[in-house]
Amino acid sequence: MLGFTFVDHAAMIFFILAWFGYHTAVELTGAGQRSLNKVMNQYRFRWMEQLVVRENRIVDTTIMASLMNGTAFFASTSLIAIGGALALLRSTEEVLPIFADLPFGLPPTRLGWEVKVIGLAIIFVYAFFKFAWSYRLFNYMAIIVGSVPVLKEGSREEALTVARQAAAMNVVAGKHFNRGQRAFFFSLAYLGWFISAYLFIAATAGVLFVMWRRQFMSDAHDAALGGEHG
């Protein structure tokens, strides 16, 4: 009825395992403590500790505005992507003959096509909620930063305590932002399913490899660690 083959089911299982496996490895295991995301979390705390000793915090507010603007951009992009996915549902009759003529792929059934499109829409909805929540958390962080006391004699501990709270909020906001971007990356692999289950598997493996390499073996990772691998 759906027109899915054994390879289609295997590709979807591989896709889900790749996504959750990457999430587990980067966020929940000891190996993930050396990922680029976790290293940057240390710099988030260092940033807030430096903020305490600056009376003029124009640089800090500029950085926060940049973080919020970038997050808002991805959230709005997610909404556009959701609209595009829903538009595909309305154009099923026009799109099916096009994909039926593509090489290496099997002609999709109408129901199978709609299931694939709905799955793509779900990925973008997930990304939107992650980016939207990240944006809200960055706003919360800005409020906490605004409450960090100016460093004076006898107020150092209070200032550092509030600054670390801001850093902790920054870390949580960054975590949700990273999850939203992860959904975007895996959505690129998911697009391969519209052509072929084999391409879906290959694209998922490719995205997984690139993401893993950027987290643990990229120049940015080495630079964040002080170039210790250079």
Side-chain angles (χ1 to χ4, degrees), residues 173-230:
K175 179 176 66 175
H176 287 280
F177 180 85
N178 291 333
R179 290 175 179 176
Q181 277 203 323
R182 191 178 306 157
F184 265 32
F185 294 146
F186 275 106
S187 71
L188 297 177
Y190 187 92
L191 291 175
W193 196 18
F194 288 90
I195 300 176
S196 168
Y198 293 103
L199 181 59
F200 187 18
I201 294 174
T204 300
V207 166
L208 184 63
F209 172 77
V210 171
M211 291 177 63
W212 185 269
R213 182 174 178 81
R214 289 186 175 182
Q215 279 293 331
F216 294 97
M217 296 177 284
S218 66
D219 292 339
H221 176 268
D222 293 344
L225 287 174
E228 63 183 53
H229 302 297

Side-chain angles (χ1 to χ4, degrees), residues 16-83:
I16 294 173
L17 290 177
W19 190 331
F20 283 96
Y22 181 85
H23 167 83
T24 301
V26 172
E27 297 192 14
L28 304 177
T29 66
Q33 296 302 317
R34 289 182 58 82
S35 68
L36 181 58
N37 291 344
K38 290 298 178 67
V39 173
M40 293 309 300
N41 287 343
Q42 299 173 16
Y43 283 98
R44 296 177 196 270
F45 277 92
R46 291 184 63 180
W47 169 25
M48 291 296 107
E49 290 171 356
Q50 291 299 313
L51 175 142
V52 170
V53 301
R54 285 195 287 266
E55 291 188 10
N56 188 334
R57 296 172 180 174
I58 294 177
V59 172
D60 306 294
T61 56
T62 301
I63 296 172
M64 287 187 292
S66 176
L67 291 173
M68 287 188 285
N69 289 338
T71 307
F73 169 78
F74 278 103
S76 60
T77 302
S78 300
L79 288 176
I80 296 173
I82 293 169

